[in-house]
Amino acid sequence: MLLNIKNIDVAYDDYQVIWNVSLNVKEGEIVALLGPNGSGKSTILNSISGLIKIKSGEINFNKIQINKYETYQRVGVGISHVLERRRVFPYLTVLQNLLLGAYHEKAKTEREKSLQNIYNFFPKLKDRSNQIANTMSGGEQQMLAIGRGLMGMPKLLMVDEPFLGLAPLVIEDLKLIFKKIAERGISILFVEQNVRLALSMAHRGYVLESGRLVIDGVSNDLINSKELKRVFLGS
Amino acid sequence: MTSQVIIQAIISGILMGLIYALIAAGLSLIFGLMEIVNFAHGDHLMLSMFSTFWFWMLFGIDPIFSIPLTIILMAFLGVFTHYFIIRKILNSTMLIQICATFGLAVTIRALAQFFFTPDFRTIKNPIIQGKFEVYGVFIGYPQLFASFVCLFAFILLYLFVTKTETGTALQATSQDRQAAEILGIPSNKMFALGWAIGLSCVAVAGSMLSNYYYVFPDVGVNFSLFAFVAVALGGFGSINGSLIAGVIIGIVESVGGLLIDPSYKLLYVFAVYLLVVILRPQGIFGRY
Ligand SMILES: Nc1ncnc2c1ncn2[C@@H]1O[C@H](COP(=O)(O)OP(=O)(O)OP(=O)(O)O)[C@@H](O)[C@H]1O
Ligand SMILES: [Mg+2]
């Protein structure tokens, strides 16, 4: 088990938003985290990368308990987080953004190799390597954000709403790329609102409702589940 | 009025402006990094000048040799300031942040009054003194030297921030703290580094100023006002902006003083500030 989350509670100050959530991700697995707006999907990713500290429970990664680690230490154990709404460094170039992805020691030694890999996945980033990030299109920035995450040589790549605002053709490309990434043994945990899209790519999925897990299972089972329809259509 | 007099004013203005630029760069760097305005910046400048003065007074070390010592002292003070004060107010409201650095300013100045007395001090017979004349324009060696050193420090700062890996990480932290943190960039260390660099800037400027300027506890007040105007004019957080803005302010101060009346120098600088606020509130290179 690569990522193993046990019974976590998360609160913003006194306002609890995650209740007793347990979740796990195996090596090479693609897992979708589903749920309506405000159900707590981003909050869960943020607690895994440490941007928010959990109130109780445990987060284990590669058999190490990491919930006490500072955010900046977590990339070193193998977790890359591609934040919601891309969050590339707007005034740095594409190349500078990518190189910062390999800031931590382990990734730094393999920097050139990782860069070539990422250029293979996203040739556009190579052509635009000297462009200032905030002058790139939304879709290009998404590629950059994912590329920057991969530069950290993660064992787990977490992506928050990777497909938001992308054209259908680009979505298909990106899905293929995610599959290739997973074939290399990198696990992917991603958040998505579009259930059909998410489950067409994921091996498994978890469904959140108001901060609680309501169902989980392999994609083929989930897609036909009544419970899933109730959560998303309210019927 | 001859053209020589005007050229004289412009040259003096540029020389002074380069010093303002370095002071402003330090202020702007700190602001850009953590959106905190260091209201004690002028008082840090004053401390640098006193540091230079005491190195000369107590140990006979000339200002041009005590620069590295003053830089080290101020850099440590910067790190110390971050860990003991700034770190605790990073997530506080703006009012609390203002009170914290403003309170720091008042404290530093009061301590300086107490320990150093309000006397005006000068460094007598520094290695660099005197002046020379070209085409009827007089240029003081200490002024010329000071602006060269400040310009040099400025270029080093620029190269550090834009060309080195740590500098890029510093920029990344200033552009998106969380995004930087998840890549393994510890923002707390970056902030401490920012304070060390910011105060090193005033250390260089202060060392060089004390070659020819009076050293006294209130000396930082006007400099910090000009630095604030330079930061606003250049654009908050923009280091390039502070260079241009510093020089503009130096020239406005000096030429305005010549053409109208030197006792209203501050007024001209603030007139420029008002113009900026009205016409281009984000400053020349600003993003905020
Ligand atoms: N910084 C914050 N402070 C206080 N409450 C927050 C904060 N961030 C999120 N919340 C609250 O936590 C809950 C979960 O938010 P979260 O962003 O995790 O949802 P989400 O499932 O990612 O939603 P979306 O699909 O809209 O991105 C929401 O009720 C939200 O209002
Ligand atoms: Mg979200």
Side-chain angles (χ1 to χ4, degrees):
Chain A
M1 199 78 70
L2 184 64
L3 175 73
N4 178 225
I5 298 181
K6 281 189 214 156
N7 310 98
I8 58 166
D9 289 329
V10 184
Y12 292 99
D13 298 319
D14 287 337
Y15 179 58
Q16 185 162 347
V17 295
I18 298 295
W19 307 79
N20 197 30
V21 166
S22 299
L23 163 168
N24 52 60
V25 180
K26 297 195 219 31
E27 281 85 1
E29 204 178 22
I30 304 183
V31 175
L33 191 52
L34 305 164
N37 289 118
S39 56
K41 307 179 294 294
S42 301
T43 304
I44 289 183
L45 295 199
N46 288 347
S47 16
I48 298 170
S49 63
L51 288 174
I52 177 163
K53 299 278 177 287
I54 59 175
K55 225 176 74 176
S56 60
E58 246 179 62
I59 302 176
N60 297 298
F61 189 78
N62 239 347
K63 303 190 181 63
I64 316 171
Q65 191 179 333
I66 58 162
N67 42 281
K68 296 262 159 42
Y69 282 31
E70 295 296 328
T71 306
Y72 70 87
Q73 298 169 317
R74 298 195 189 192
V75 63
V77 301
I79 300 174
S80 281
H81 184 180
V82 180
L83 291 161
E84 201 169 10
R85 283 184 290 275
R86 298 153 195 150
R87 306 273 289 269
V88 296
F89 300 115
Y91 306 104
L92 295 180
T93 65
V94 168
L95 183 61
Q96 283 175 315
N97 265 280
L98 288 174
L99 292 181
L100 280 169
Y103 186 83
H104 70 100
E105 288 308 321
K106 275 186 220 157
K108 204 171 278 179
T109 49
E110 302 283 318
R111 211 164 74 168
E112 286 311 309
K113 219 171 93 196
S114 312
L115 194 61
Q116 292 318 316
N117 268 333
I118 284 150
Y119 284 161
N120 282 338
F121 282 138
F122 307 112
K124 203 162 210 167
L125 295 183
K126 186 173 187 178
D127 305 335
R128 304 293 180 86
S129 61
N130 289 318
Q131 191 171 334
I132 300 295
N134 76 345
T135 63
M136 308 259 285
S137 80
E140 290 164 350
Q141 289 187 30
Q142 187 62 269
M143 308 298 155
L144 178 55
I146 295 169
R148 187 179 66 183
L150 286 172
M151 286 292 289
M153 306 217 312
K155 298 189 183 76
L156 173 69
L157 180 71
M158 301 195 294
V159 199
D160 202 333
E161 309 215 19
F163 302 111
L164 195 72
L166 300 187
L169 280 179
V170 185
I171 291 181
E172 288 310 311
D173 284 349
L174 192 53
K175 266 168 63 178
L176 271 178
I177 289 173
F178 279 135
K179 284 190 177 138
K180 280 191 205 154
I181 293 171
E183 277 161 18
R184 297 188 175 190
I186 300 172
S187 310
I188 298 175
L189 174 62
F190 72 107
V191 163
E192 178 53 50
Q193 306 260 4
N194 182 332
V195 178
R196 224 157 258 292
L197 171 60
L199 294 179
S200 71
M201 179 176 115
H203 301 126
R204 284 192 303 125
Y206 289 87
V207 182
L208 271 178
E209 188 182 23
S210 315
R212 289 176 171 85
L213 274 184
V214 284
I215 3 163
D216 67 87
V218 295
S219 299
N220 288 337
D221 295 346
L222 271 184
I223 197 91
N224 299 316
S225 132
K226 285 209 179 68
E227 187 70 356
L228 187 78
K229 289 203 181 73
R230 184 193 60 77
V231 171
F232 281 92
L233 303 172
S235 60
Chain B
M1 192 179 301
T2 65
S3 62
Q4 265 164 357
V5 183
I6 295 181
I7 292 171
Q8 171 87 59
I10 292 177
I11 289 178
S12 312
I14 293 174
L15 294 186
M16 201 62 189
L18 289 169
I19 299 175
Y20 294 151
L22 185 63
I23 301 173
L27 190 63
S28 199
L29 184 98
I30 291 173
F31 179 84
L33 200 55
M34 54 198 108
E35 285 175 36
I36 281 184
V37 179
N38 179 20
F39 283 102
H41 208 60
D43 304 282
H44 287 129
L45 179 76
M46 176 271 289
L47 287 180
S48 312
M49 293 174 76
F50 266 109
S51 153
T52 312
F53 172 78
W54 290 115
F55 276 125
W56 171 79
M57 182 77 195
L58 301 176
F59 308 109
I61 306 175
D62 190 84
I64 57 173
F65 298 119
S66 64
I67 297 185
L69 302 172
T70 300
I71 291 179
I72 292 170
L73 277 182
M74 294 308 290
F76 268 107
L77 182 65
V79 172
F80 186 85
T81 307
H82 174 66
Y83 277 105
F84 288 92
I85 301 171
I86 306 303
R87 195 165 59 117
K88 309 214 188 309
I89 54 157
L90 269 180
N91 299 319
S92 308
T93 58
M94 194 187 228
L95 190 64
I96 290 177
Q97 297 179 338
I98 290 174
C99 290
T101 64
F102 198 78
L104 182 65
V106 175
T107 312
I108 293 176
R109 217 175 305 159
L111 289 174
Q113 300 266 10
F114 182 75
F115 286 108
F116 305 151
T117 76
D119 292 348
F120 282 54
R121 326 258 192 162
T122 50
I123 290 175
K124 293 184 189 67
N125 283 319
I127 290 176
I128 294 174
Q129 53 180 321
K131 57 184 177 211
F132 64 98
E133 191 206 320
V134 263
Y135 302 110
V137 175
F138 288 92
I139 298 174
Y141 283 113
Q143 283 85 344
L144 187 65
F145 187 73
S147 18
F148 270 126
V149 171
C150 285
L151 183 60
F152 180 70
F154 192 97
I155 292 170
L156 283 186
L157 173 67
Y158 179 78
L159 292 177
F160 171 76
V161 171
T162 56
K163 299 285 184 269
T164 68
E165 197 169 280
T166 311
T168 314
L170 208 60
Q171 287 190 67
T173 304
S174 98
Q175 290 170 25
D176 192 328
R177 193 185 302 179
Q178 288 190 326
E181 189 92 19
I182 52 169
L183 299 181
I185 303 170
S187 38
N188 209 24
K189 284 204 185 114
M190 288 295 142
F191 291 161
L193 177 66
W195 277 87
I197 296 174
L199 295 208
S200 298
C201 291
V202 287
V204 173
S207 301
M208 291 294 90
L209 276 172
S210 43
N211 246 331
Y212 61 95
Y213 218 86
Y214 285 114
V215 180
F216 57 101
D218 283 342
V219 66
V221 177
N222 277 358
F223 283 99
S224 71
L225 282 177
F226 284 15
F228 287 128
V229 177
V231 171
L233 180 59
F236 283 93
S238 162
I239 295 181
N240 293 349
S242 20
L243 179 64
I244 310 234
V247 172
I248 292 177
I249 288 168
I251 295 175
V252 167
E253 180 197 17
S254 154
V255 174
L258 173 76
L259 297 179
I260 315 173
D261 183 340
S263 44
Y264 295 125
K265 276 180 177 182
L266 268 179
L267 188 68
Y268 315 133
V269 173
F270 279 100
V272 171
Y273 176 67
L274 279 183
L275 269 182
V276 179
V277 171
I278 294 163
L279 297 178
R280 199 176 154 78
Q282 75 274 41
I284 305 174
F285 292 97
R287 358 178 160 116
Y288 294 97

